[in-house]
Amino acid sequence: MAYKAVFIDVDGTLLNDDLQIAEGTRDIIRKLNSENVLIAIVTGRSPASSRPYYEDLGIAGNPVVCYNGALIIRNGTILLEEMLQKEDCLRILTEAKDYNVNVSFYHQYDWFSERMDDWIKQENAISNTIITQRKLSELLEDNFNPNKILCMGHPEEITLFEDHLNAIGYPTLNIYKSKPTYLEVVNRNTSKAQGIKTLIDIYNIKEREIIAIGDNYNDIEMLEMAGTSVVMGNAPEEVKKYATLVTDTNNREGIKKALELLYGR
């Protein structure tokens, strides 16, 4: 199989636990990119948070799929954007009041939250994204529509909140964990799979010609749609069920090992 594109999740996949890209992983990605294989990051992160990794990999001119598919940017040009509606955002804010979670909004390069607590400090250290403190309900009155809502909290609280929202049912939303302490909310039309579909249509690439690499629940749809799906060894067992290939962990050059195998290097 002549794979024409590789779509890679960031946290727990491209990055090791020290939030670094291993040298071997960097080398093989740069090599494939030089051979005209489309390399694209597909992440829940913002564009600002994704940019340093694109520069590190030498693929700064390639498209990036942000906010789990809600925003696709290439060379500063927006190729796709999905936003949440005011009514849905207000309802999430209302329901969150009964749970100990920090709610924040993302739109393009901007990040907003009401509470500057330890969760915000932790995410800021991970993402290196500037945050603005603002009352979120007032922000929505200014014709503001976020691309993504992020709810952060302790795992047990996040699970309770997720179960509560799913029990209510939101037909216009996708709600899922990106890790045990993060619950993400995006438009129902948004997914990493849909973001990839948009790109392969633009580049005239078929699903069977792509590799998708991920490690968590928000990666499942893209793993299902890809011709070849690679799941990291550190992924939950439930996610591994969607793998064509289970590779090594993010701390043991899992991406490098998988790409070497699939490309016969």
Side-chain angles (χ1 to χ4, degrees):
M1 170 62 69
Y3 297 108
K4 295 182 179 179
V6 183
F7 297 95
I8 307 171
D9 171 57
V10 175
D11 295 285
T13 302
L14 178 65
L15 304 182
N16 61 26
D17 289 350
D18 294 324
L19 303 180
Q20 301 294 319
I21 301 173
E23 183 178 358
T25 297
R26 181 187 300 108
D27 289 346
I28 194 166
I29 288 174
R30 287 183 172 182
K31 177 66 173 174
L32 292 174
N33 186 65
S34 72
E35 296 172 358
N36 295 317
V37 175
L38 174 65
I39 307 291
I41 284 175
V42 186
T43 179
R45 287 174 176 250
S46 69
S49 179
S50 304
R51 185 187 299 116
Y53 305 117
Y54 262 55
E55 293 172 350
D56 188 13
L57 293 169
I59 58 171
N62 293 11
V64 55
V65 180
C66 301
Y67 302 134
N68 294 313
L71 185 68
I72 303 178
I73 295 179
R74 181 178 60 192
N75 287 328
T77 299
I78 294 175
L79 303 181
L80 173 74
E81 183 172 24
E82 297 284 357
M83 292 179 286
L84 294 159
Q85 297 304 305
K86 174 182 175 180
E87 294 75 16
D88 287 328
C89 296
L90 287 172
R91 194 170 183 192
I92 295 294
L93 289 176
T94 298
E95 299 301 332
K97 290 179 181 178
D98 293 329
Y99 294 84
N100 186 22
V101 297
N102 185 305
V103 179
S104 56
F105 288 172
Y106 288 88
H107 179 252
Q108 295 185 8
Y109 292 86
D110 298 321
W111 180 26
F112 301 91
S113 184
E114 297 181 11
R115 291 163 45 190
M116 301 294 107
D117 60 10
D118 288 342
W119 291 108
I120 293 294
K121 292 177 183 177
Q122 172 184 278
E123 178 61 12
N124 180 257
I126 293 172
S127 68
N128 196 30
T129 303
I130 297 172
I131 185 165
T132 300
Q133 187 169 12
R134 181 80 185 274
K135 189 170 180 60
L136 298 180
S137 58
E138 291 179 357
L139 188 63
L140 293 169
E141 295 299 327
D142 294 337
N143 296 317
F144 174 88
N145 296 91
N147 300 117
K148 183 182 83 167
I149 298 174
L150 174 63
C151 306
M152 296 179 285
H154 293 289
E156 61 275 12
E157 197 72 10
I158 288 294
T159 296
L160 287 172
F161 189 43
E162 179 186 30
D163 290 345
H164 176 70
L165 294 181
N166 286 332
I168 293 173
Y170 290 86
T172 57
L173 302 178
N174 273 338
I175 301 169
Y176 42 71
K177 291 176 185 172
S178 55
K179 58 184 182 180
T181 55
Y182 285 16
L183 186 67
E184 309 203 10
V185 181
V186 291
N187 185 291
R188 173 65 75 179
N189 297 326
T190 295
S191 69
K192 290 186 175 184
Q194 186 56 48
I196 292 172
K197 182 67 167 58
T198 297
L199 286 180
I200 63 176
D201 285 348
I202 291 172
Y203 286 88
N204 195 29
I205 297 172
K206 297 178 176 61
E207 291 180 5
R208 68 174 182 271
E209 297 173 324
I210 71 173
I211 299 168
I213 310 177
D215 78 303
N216 223 313
Y217 296 101
N218 59 332
D219 298 318
I220 288 175
E221 287 188 33
M222 77 169 185
L223 295 169
E224 287 184 302
M225 66 91 68
T228 297
S229 56
V230 176
V231 176
M232 306 300 290
N234 48 286
E237 292 303 314
E238 178 65 26
V239 179
K240 291 178 182 177
K241 296 177 183 178
Y242 297 89
T244 306
L245 168 68
V246 176
T247 188
D248 211 332
T249 70
N250 62 320
N251 289 323
R252 292 171 54 88
E253 295 267 34
I255 288 179
K256 172 180 177 287
K257 292 173 182 177
L259 293 179
E260 285 178 339
L261 178 64
L262 293 170
Y263 281 93
R265 303 300 170 95

